[in-house]
Amino acid sequence: MITIDGSEGEGGGQVLRYSAALSLITGEPFTIENIRGGRTKPGMMRQHVTALEAAAAIGGAEVNGLAVGSDHLTFRPGSVTPGEYHFAVGTAGSTCLVLQTILVPLMLADKPSRVVIEGGTHAMAAPPFEFIAQTLLAVIAKMGPSITATLERHGFYPRGGGRIVVEFDPAPLRPIECVDRGKPVSQKAEAVVAGVPHDIADRELSAMQKILSDWPQESFVPRQLSADEGPGNALLIAAEFEHVTEVMSGFGKIGVPAEKIGKTTAKRMAGYLASGAFAGPYLQDQLLLPFALARGGAFTTVKISQHTRTAIDLIELFTGTSFRVSPGEGKAHLVEVAR
């Protein structure tokens, strides 16, 4: 039984999600104490409970302590069973973070699966659907498994109500090198609004244009959704290269000017572009588990996040596989599977 202090490292829901995925893959049971101990509201939130419920459902796991507000959990895995699954967060909690918990176990299963997840698709503190579909799954496809994700309905904070459908065609993982992102192919900055004034999108796009001034004007696009999918506002900036597409996001918040949200989001993309790296801040920690299980490979990335350092520690704890992180060219870092 592996014992984990949930307040160490990143100290949030990532510890739960990564531990559950690793447990299903390795067959190692684990206990977590002090779940989200360093957060303002410690213990599990609704989306964390749903993520662990999803892991337990696909893996026939026995789980103790699984409840909103719980600060401890014991997880004993069974065998991963591919098939049809439906999970509902019940709030605007992230569908993408629930997916990340079961993604690798299902893409390594012996048969295809289809998973429907309902909840938030575009909210702060989580990658948006477009990152999963355009960035993460595209890299995983290069490693073998084929996974398609469809957004059937947007879900914004605080209402939620979004719906994604994910179909898995499993395959063994092969190591790949993701060092060079290649030449630029296209750029797009989209301001999405639903049930809020359209001028918010215009103001956000204007602020983004000032930061990404070398992008063509036609790259900046407003998008109006039906009011019943809102209220909500999301900024999505996609930079497509030969070998990877990076998606940066920002989300409207009451009391924060549209111009500030547009400027901040565009600066994130500008930082990624200047780094020359393959993987941005969202992608770096999501590549670690597939690379470790492929037993090889390397990628360049931006500044190493606490999420990534925590994931590295958990992977080594469960599998014995470690990573070597070293300075790359320019502002990039090189992450390699060490053993």
Side-chain angles (χ1 to χ4, degrees), residues 205-263:
L205 291 170
S206 178
M208 286 192 282
Q209 280 184 288
K210 293 177 182 178
I211 304 298
L212 302 171
S213 56
D214 57 339
W215 284 21
Q217 185 171 354
E218 59 268 25
S219 299
F220 299 86
V221 181
R223 183 182 177 194
Q224 181 85 51
L225 301 178
S226 62
D228 65 359
E229 290 195 64
N233 168 224
L235 303 186
L236 303 165
I237 310 181
E240 181 186 1
F241 294 86
E242 288 180 288
H243 308 309
V244 68
T245 297
E246 183 56 66
V247 175
M248 297 292 176
S249 59
F251 303 98
K253 185 178 180 181
I254 295 175
V256 180
E259 292 80 5
K260 182 175 181 179
I261 295 169
K263 181 178 180 181

Side-chain angles (χ1 to χ4, degrees), residues 14-29:
Q14 185 212 31
V15 179
L16 286 163
R17 293 188 295 270
Y18 244 97
S19 296
L22 283 160
S23 179
L24 292 179
I25 292 164
T26 63
E28 290 283 348

Side-chain angles (χ1 to χ4, degrees), residues 159-230:
R159 181 180 174 185
R163 178 183 169 99
I164 67 173
V165 179
V166 187
E167 298 186 70
F168 295 77
D169 186 5
L173 289 167
R174 57 175 176 265
I176 58 173
E177 299 288 320
C178 298
V179 176
D180 179 15
R181 63 192 182 195
K183 296 179 181 178
V185 175
S186 66
Q187 307 89 23
K188 185 177 182 180
E190 189 174 49
V192 182
V193 291
V196 298
H198 193 274
D199 75 296
I200 289 175
D202 296 332
R203 289 156 54 199
E204 289 168 340
L205 291 170
S206 178
M208 286 192 282
Q209 280 184 288
K210 293 177 182 178
I211 304 298
L212 302 171
S213 56
D214 57 339
W215 284 21
Q217 185 171 354
E218 59 268 25
S219 299
F220 299 86
V221 181
R223 183 182 177 194
Q224 181 85 51
L225 301 178
S226 62
D228 65 359
E229 290 195 64

